[in-house]
Amino acid sequence: MPGTAAALPQILLIGNGAVAAEVRAAAKRTGLFAIGAVLVRPARVAQVQQELPGLAVIGDLSALAFRPVVAVECASHSAVQAYGPALLRQGTDLVVVSIGALTDDGLYAALHDAARDGGARLILPAGAVPGIDALNAAMAGGLDSVRYVSRKPPAAWKGTPAEQLLALDTLSEPAEFYKGTARRAAQEYPKNANVAATVALAGLGFDATEVRMIADPSVQANIHEIHAAGAFGDMHLTIRGRPLPGNPKTSSLAAYSTIRAVLNRVRPVEI
Ligand SMILES: NC(=O)c1ccc[n+]([C@@H]2O[C@H](COP(=O)([O-])OP(=O)(O)OC[C@H]3O[C@@H](n4cnc5c(N)ncnc54)[C@H](O)[C@@H]3O)[C@@H](O)[C@H]2O)c1
């Protein structure tokens, strides 16, 4: 049964975009946790405070007036860098949605060491893709190969190096324009970095995970495929996700898996 707001576990929400809006809605809907504060860029505090009456909006960690049960980053690479190590070092568990940031080995090491030293946990949700639990579990028996395929309509690749490799406006057949490591994929195609990094971190790492990217005029949606083989057998997963109303670039499942990560901290049963 939902408790009163004062008695609920309080989270710190970093960011005020499409994913954050879903997490705020889930707090209301489930009644299982409350938003203790929303951390935004300092220049935006006054404006966001007007948009979110009744919530504490802060521009810096020094203004945090409570101990969050978990902090949830749903902002950007720079936010992971700015707040992640400090929160973990002070013992606050952290959910990172901008997982592409972890392609930066230095930042990953900083977060890892801060979590170890602070006795906190760095929590990486599955985000936009399925099978991350199975992929990571399969590591226990040994994985032989992991491949992530990103298939999008040609227009969705505009503004990326694919523009130099393909005639995106006149493409009549599917064209694979990238095949290589997850590390190079995340570096050259940062907009694809979240999923490539999640698959790499759950499985064989950035250098042994193969990524392929395809511009496909026959599809309307962004399609993610994960193929893996190992001692467990083999798996082949496809997801055709719907975007969030608040941000057409973000899959709704990325928000829902963030909510799941929070719920797993506050309910008695973790699944
Ligand atoms: N893991 C995944 O599979 C996955 C999937 C989709 C999106 N994402 C990532 O999740 C994050 C959030 O996505 P979204 O759709 O909500 O984005 P969005 O653009 O709608 O919102 C991001 C918000 O964070 C704020 N922000 C950015 N940097 C900040 C900082 N340094 N300090 C405070 N606030 C800051 C922005 O002002 C904005 O309000 C993005 O980084 C996105 O790349 C991850």
Side-chain angles (χ1 to χ4, degrees), residues 5-220:
L8 289 174
Q10 296 197 310
I11 71 163
L12 168 66
L13 202 48
I14 304 172
N16 184 40
V19 173
E22 297 291 326
V23 177
R24 290 199 311 272
K28 274 199 184 144
R29 191 172 61 243
T30 65
L32 292 174
F33 65 97
I35 311 298
V38 180
L39 176 56
V40 300
R41 293 183 200 274
R44 299 206 58 227
V45 171
Q47 186 200 328
V48 177
Q49 186 64 80
Q50 281 197 332
E51 291 167 15
L52 302 177
L55 288 183
V57 179
I58 59 176
D60 195 80
L61 282 184
S62 62
L64 197 60
F66 69 103
R67 179 81 193 257
V69 63
V70 66
V72 181
E73 177 284 323
C74 36
S76 65
H77 186 144
S78 69
V80 179
Q81 191 137 30
Y83 308 119
L87 281 162
L88 290 163
R89 201 168 286 283
Q90 72 185 38
T92 301
D93 293 348
L94 174 68
V95 174
V96 167
V97 183
S98 306
I99 292 188
L102 304 188
T103 313
D104 175 342
D105 288 339
L107 179 55
Y108 184 85
L111 292 165
H112 176 279
D113 293 356
R116 184 196 56 206
D117 296 347
R121 285 165 61 79
L122 174 63
I123 299 161
L124 306 179
V129 283
I132 296 303
D133 53 346
L135 191 61
N136 191 244
M139 286 290 286
L143 274 169
D144 298 327
S145 64
V146 180
R147 185 165 79 242
Y148 160 53
V149 183
S150 176
R151 185 184 295 269
K152 297 183 183 179
W157 293 109
K158 287 195 173 172
T160 77
E163 256 178 341
Q164 275 74 58
L165 302 170
L166 298 173
L168 291 172
D169 285 329
T170 53
L171 206 63
S172 57
E173 289 189 345
E176 181 180 291
F177 59 89
Y178 178 90
K179 180 180 170 187
T181 64
R183 184 177 301 281
R184 187 163 67 85
Q187 284 159 355
E188 293 181 12
Y189 296 84
K191 289 175 194 158
N192 259 44
N194 287 314
V195 175
T198 305
V199 173
L201 287 164
L204 287 176
F206 286 99
D207 297 311
T209 300
E210 182 186 297
V211 173
R212 297 186 187 195
M213 298 182 204
I214 298 169
D216 187 341
S218 70
V219 302
Q220 314 297 324

